Amino acid sequence: MMEALPTAGMGHNTAMVLAGTTALGIAAGTVGCFMVLRRRALVSDALSHATLPGIVIAFLVGLALGVEGRSLPLLLLGAALSGALAVACIQAITRWTRLPEDAAIGAVLSCFFGLGVVLLSVVQALPAANAAGLKGFIFGQTAAMRSGEAATLAVLALVALAGVALFFKELRLLAFDEGFARAAGWPTGRFDLGLMALVTLVTVAGLQTVGLVLIIALLITPAAAARFWTDRLGLMLLVAGLIGGLSGGIGALLSARFQNLPAGAIIVLVASCFFMASLFFAPARGLLARTLRRARLRASLGAAL
Amino acid sequence: MLQRLRTRNFIPPADAGVSPLSVSGLSVAYHRQLALHDVNWTAPTGGLVAVVGPNGAGKSTFLKAVLGLVTPLAGTVEVYGRPLAQQRGLIGYVPQRESVDWDFPVNALDVVTMGRYGMIGWGRRITGAHKRAGMEALDRVGMADYARRQIGQLSGGQQQRVFLARALAQEARLYFMDEPLAGVDAATEQTILAVLRELEAEGRTVICVHHDLQTVAATFDHVLMLNRTLVATGPVADTLTDANLRLAYGQRASGLSLLS
């Protein structure tokens, strides 16, 4: 099976992109579990959309400083900063006003994204600027990715994974019972910052491949799918990582095979297939298993009568 | 960092007469409403204290403000004579059962070992010794057979016992419990009451929000009556009087007193 995959036609560059997107998928799936369990899925959506103005501003700063071409680390730094600023805004609004969190998320997300789109149009109209690559961050594109960039992506993903491995116990406590954690003296505010830092890492790493509109799918879908398979958090993280990694890998392969398919959308669609399959067929909590269990119970009721 | 915190925890000798909990000038506001006004209270050393009062009297708010889970408008909280922040390791907490998602993918033992995390410290693994301590705590509440059960598959009473076991695993000097007997079955109630008496016999202090006036006299030594402010406090026999009940609950309480 593995030999049948188009390894022969795969150059060094494609192999690197494949490794990078797989690592990204694993990290996104794993980190995403905590966002799903903490009911913060939509905060990560706001974070990713809010990276756009940061990317464009970082590009302008690079232009002003005379950086040759687009400097990826600078753009990603800009993305991380504006994403973090948006999350801080959401937290400030929910903390100091009576607005519910979903309303705050909606307001902040659209504000940052709108600003980003306007800035992008302005920059693209600048005669001096070669802003062609910036649009790729919106929907993602692996075709233009260089192997050095794929390696950067893999390193970011590994750092995020290491963070989860090191603070598994703390993240589990925070996600399950924040009040108890605070009463016991754990600095839950700092935990939350740490979790958001992990999500930011994954988001920023995924900007190029999956794009900022769809990265939320890679964070949330594998985690949501994994929840159908198990009632153990450790196993859920493994399954989510597996589904995320497979989605990243298969999606990148498909988009490399068919040149005009956008990688981000394909990766997300593969993840969605895993989600649908889990929803229906997972033995622990899937719909089919549930229906069968209920039918069997009803039958045993009839027998008892 | 938490380990450092823990070694700083300070319990004065028993004869020093320092209360496990001393609250002064505690006021809490939710948006425009004053939920608690100027509560001054010193807890007795050792024993079971019931926090009673009508719905909306601020019982849970009192607990949360004392624990620092809501930011008070004013007031200070001292645990064994030191600011709360330095004494977190001496505190155990049983939140209301409804405060968490019971569909969460953990089993009963996972939840109970959370009570040990403070002793384990940042980024360190849960060792066998801590799991054994968790099993012992589960055993004390009669839940050892359910250690590997996902918490969503437990009954409400069993879930409450798991929460109590987690607090036991904290090995605290001063316990705060938010309605641990609310909506539990009779067997669970007996188990929880037995554990409360054990804690009392071990010289620990338990401050317990409680809704059922009928069982206060039989179980608790002290009572703290709240209705947006402190109404009365003291030993149950002297405090749970008709006059005080009417003060706290209004006319509805006539006939509720068990001591008349």
Side-chain angles (χ1 to χ4, degrees):
Chain A
M1 176 67 208
M2 285 308 284
E3 290 81 43
L5 290 175
T7 42
M10 188 160 65
H12 172 69
N13 205 50
T14 317
M16 283 303 290
V17 169
L18 187 66
T21 49
T22 305
L24 169 72
I26 294 172
T30 314
V31 172
C33 286
F34 291 103
M35 294 303 276
V36 168
L37 291 172
R38 204 160 151 57
R39 300 169 189 249
R40 287 283 171 81
L42 287 178
V43 176
S44 38
D45 198 26
L47 192 158
S48 58
H49 276 80
T51 54
L52 187 57
I55 292 168
V56 184
I57 291 171
F59 176 79
L60 287 175
V61 169
L63 210 61
L65 294 176
V67 178
E68 280 295 315
R70 53 179 197 151
S71 148
L72 188 63
L74 186 63
L75 295 184
L76 295 190
L77 181 68
L81 287 179
S82 75
L85 182 65
V87 173
C89 288
I90 292 168
Q91 279 174 348
I93 291 172
T94 38
R95 171 115 197 247
W96 304 113
T97 75
R98 300 184 71 166
L99 216 57
E101 192 178 41
D102 55 350
I105 289 170
V108 171
L109 183 156
S110 48
C111 170
F112 274 77
F113 191 59
L115 180 68
V117 171
V118 168
L119 283 176
L120 188 60
S121 315
V122 171
V123 167
Q124 282 175 326
L126 288 179
N130 177 20
L134 288 187
K135 244 185 158 159
F137 285 106
I138 297 182
F139 290 113
Q141 53 180 176
T142 43
M145 192 187 274
R146 293 186 293 267
S147 63
E149 294 175 337
T152 310
L153 197 150
V155 168
L156 288 180
L158 282 177
V159 170
L161 272 180
V164 171
L166 192 56
F167 296 112
F168 172 73
K169 161 171 123 283
E170 285 78 6
L171 288 169
R172 170 162 75 177
L173 177 62
L174 176 76
F176 176 64
D177 193 347
E178 185 183 354
F180 179 83
R182 280 173 66 192
W186 291 96
T188 52
R190 263 182 269 166
F191 282 10
D192 240 343
L193 271 182
L195 178 57
M196 287 320 295
L198 293 179
V199 174
T200 309
L201 263 181
V202 171
T203 304
V204 163
L207 282 179
Q208 269 203 306
T209 345
V210 185
L212 56 88
V213 175
L214 287 177
I215 183 71
I216 184 181
L218 205 52
L219 274 163
I220 302 310
T221 312
R227 188 67 190 88
F228 289 110
W229 290 90
T230 174
D231 275 331
R232 304 228 11 109
L233 181 58
L235 208 53
M236 181 183 165
L237 295 183
L238 287 181
V239 174
L242 187 70
I243 291 177
L246 283 174
S247 306
I250 295 172
L253 266 184
L254 285 177
S255 85
R257 212 49 211 281
F258 308 98
Q259 283 297 329
N260 43 8
L261 288 183
I266 296 297
I267 289 172
V268 166
L269 282 180
V270 174
S272 303
C273 289
F274 279 113
F275 175 78
M276 298 289 271
S278 308
L279 169 69
F280 289 110
F281 303 117
R285 294 163 63 103
L287 288 178
L288 184 66
R290 194 174 152 230
T291 312
L292 286 177
R293 259 198 308 271
R294 288 182 69 86
R296 217 172 294 137
L297 269 176
R298 204 174 294 123
S300 69
L301 268 183
L305 284 173
Chain B
M1 192 204 100
L2 265 172
Q3 290 208 319
R4 270 213 320 274
L5 255 182
R6 211 179 149 71
T7 53
R8 273 214 316 265
N9 293 330
F10 167 77
I11 312 173
D15 53 3
V18 177
S19 165
L21 177 71
S22 162
V23 175
S24 60
L26 189 71
S27 295
V28 182
Y30 285 132
H31 305 296
R32 288 175 200 177
Q33 282 255 314
L34 208 56
L36 269 184
H37 177 63
D38 195 26
V39 175
N40 296 284
W41 184 60
T42 303
T45 303
L48 308 178
V49 183
V51 181
V52 299
N55 285 336
K59 303 185 291 288
S60 286
T61 302
F62 173 74
L63 226 59
K64 286 186 180 142
V66 166
L67 288 166
L69 303 183
V70 300
T71 313
L73 212 55
T76 56
V77 174
E78 285 189 348
V79 173
Y80 285 102
R82 303 270 177 96
L84 171 76
Q86 298 174 16
Q87 305 275 55
R88 291 277 184 189
L90 299 176
I91 287 175
Y93 179 39
V94 179
Q96 277 188 24
R97 186 154 44 90
E98 293 77 27
S99 64
V100 302
D101 169 19
W102 289 96
D103 193 39
F104 202 85
V106 286
N107 64 31
L109 183 60
D110 291 334
V111 173
V112 174
T113 48
M114 286 178 189
R116 310 290 294 184
Y117 286 6
M119 303 168 209
I120 299 171
W122 275 104
R124 304 209 193 162
R125 303 187 65 81
I126 303 162
T127 61
H130 291 295
K131 284 191 180 155
R132 277 193 295 281
M135 281 305 295
E136 277 165 31
L138 273 172
D139 197 38
R140 271 181 84 176
V141 299
M143 287 290 293
D145 292 342
Y146 298 88
R148 307 280 167 192
R149 190 74 68 88
Q150 196 253 329
I151 53 171
Q153 292 164 16
L154 301 173
S155 75
Q158 291 170 332
Q159 291 172 347
Q160 190 68 60
R161 282 193 258 170
V162 169
F163 260 16
L164 182 63
R166 179 176 66 173
L168 292 176
Q170 291 184 285
E171 291 177 12
R173 297 296 307 163
L174 172 62
Y175 280 102
F176 295 92
M177 304 189 183
D178 203 343
E179 303 249 20
L181 296 167
V184 301
D185 54 284
T188 298
E189 183 169 311
Q190 288 314 310
T191 309
I192 293 177
L193 289 176
V195 169
L196 288 181
R197 287 188 200 105
E198 284 169 30
L199 291 173
E200 182 183 23
E202 292 162 7
R204 303 176 206 269
T205 309
V206 181
I207 295 166
C208 195
V209 171
H210 193 58
H211 66 291
D212 184 8
L213 282 177
Q214 310 290 337
T215 53
V216 167
T219 309
F220 293 90
D221 315 309
H222 271 70
V223 67
L224 171 68
M225 294 175 84
L226 293 175
N227 193 353
R228 307 226 161 201
T229 183
L230 194 144
V231 175
T233 183
V236 171
D238 309 333
T239 315
L240 213 62
T241 60
D242 262 336
N244 281 337
L245 283 170
R246 224 169 288 125
L247 266 177
Y249 288 80
Q251 286 307 317
R252 284 179 295 140
S254 43
L256 268 178
S257 169
L258 305 152
L259 301 163
S260 52

